Amino acid sequence: MPSSDLVVLDFETSGLSPALGDRPIEIGAVLIRSGRVVDQFQSLMNPGFKVSSFIQDYTGISNRMLATAPPCESVMAEFATFITGSDLVAHNASFDSKFLDAELNRLGLERDEEFACSMLTARRVIPSAPNYKLGTLVNLLGIRTSGQAHRALADAQAASGVWLHMIAELKRTYALRSVPFELMQLLGKIPKRNVPAFMAEQVSGRRR
DNA sequence: TGCCAGGCCCTCTTTAGGGCCTT
């Protein structure tokens, strides 16, 4: 059953790979319902070890801040409830999904929710962008966020802004009443050269 | 001590290589 709720999420982590022992140090997320942000989730979390100076500089999250944060397990258990039943979006979702799944697995949980990637979809919907870094798209599209880049909630807000912008752009360009999650998800997966034919098919199908 | 990922996408491609994107 497709969900009408969407959670756009972002992890700050100790590194690039849970397979090499890296863990999340912060989660930020916004819940979107009917095209509007209606809730949000943010928490630092203690990974159980000290993070590198590179990560502290990159994120602005210090080991002192993490020392008093709740452990990953309790934060992720709460976050699992927050996302239940929602479709999921992240910028470069392959990164966030592997950390989410690794933490859920530690809790003995499995993810049922579907992921879509705002970066892959943006490559099709915004072909003129100079690159597809989140910060570049935020500046290009004039998206406002409430915090500093490379903090989880601010980046989740930024990615949600990119996502909603792309939906509005597709509605305007193709005169569509709605752009379902499944269309956005599929758009990120098809070869770029197939996008015009794919969208023509969508427009035709929705007018039948 | 030094190094470590991985999925996607483009092209000088498909029996491959390298850049992008995330921390």
Side-chain angles (χ1 to χ4, degrees), chain A residues 26-65:
Chain A
E26 188 181 37
I27 178 68
V30 295
L31 174 62
I32 294 174
R33 182 173 295 152
S34 303
R36 294 190 176 190
V37 175
V38 296
D39 200 0
Q40 66 183 38
F41 187 106
Q42 185 277 329
S43 182
L44 291 171
M45 56 187 120
N46 188 332
F49 52 84
K50 290 190 175 177
V51 301
S52 68
S53 56
F54 171 80
I55 292 298
Q56 293 182 77
D57 292 343
Y58 186 82
T59 62
I61 298 169
S62 67
N63 282 309
R64 179 175 291 187
M65 293 162 70

Side-chain angles (χ1 to χ4, degrees), chain A residues 111-129:
Chain A
R111 169 171 59 86
D112 293 324
E113 293 77 13
E114 287 276 321
F115 253 107
C117 177
S118 55
M119 183 189 75
L120 294 180
T121 303
R123 284 179 176 171
R124 278 79 170 169
V125 177
I126 315 172
S128 61

Side-chain angles (χ1 to χ4, degrees), chain A residues 148-167:
Chain A
Q148 106 188 49
H150 302 305
R151 287 299 299 267
L153 182 58
D155 279 4
Q157 289 169 335
S160 72
V162 171
W163 192 255
L164 293 175
H165 173 94
M166 291 193 292
I167 289 173

Side-chain angles (χ1 to χ4, degrees), chain A residues 7-19:
Chain A
V7 169
V8 185
L9 63 94
D10 182 73
F11 281 110
E12 303 307 315
T13 70
S14 66
L16 293 173
S17 174

Side-chain angles (χ1 to χ4, degrees), chain A residues 97-177:
Chain A
S97 64
K98 67 185 178 184
F99 276 95
L100 176 61
D101 291 348
E103 292 301 321
L104 292 178
N105 288 343
R106 283 172 176 263
L107 297 171
L109 302 173
E110 279 194 17
R111 169 171 59 86
D112 293 324
E113 293 77 13
E114 287 276 321
F115 253 107
C117 177
S118 55
M119 183 189 75
L120 294 180
T121 303
R123 284 179 176 171
R124 278 79 170 169
V125 177
I126 315 172
S128 61
N131 62 59
Y132 294 90
K133 293 176 183 173
L134 184 57
T136 299
L137 295 175
V138 163
N139 290 329
L140 182 70
L141 304 176
I143 291 165
R144 291 181 186 176
T145 66
S146 62
Q148 106 188 49
H150 302 305
R151 287 299 299 267
L153 182 58
D155 279 4
Q157 289 169 335
S160 72
V162 171
W163 192 255
L164 293 175
H165 173 94
M166 291 193 292
I167 289 173
E169 183 70 22
L170 289 170
K171 281 183 180 177
R172 187 164 50 242
T173 303
Y174 297 98
L176 296 170
R177 283 187 179 179

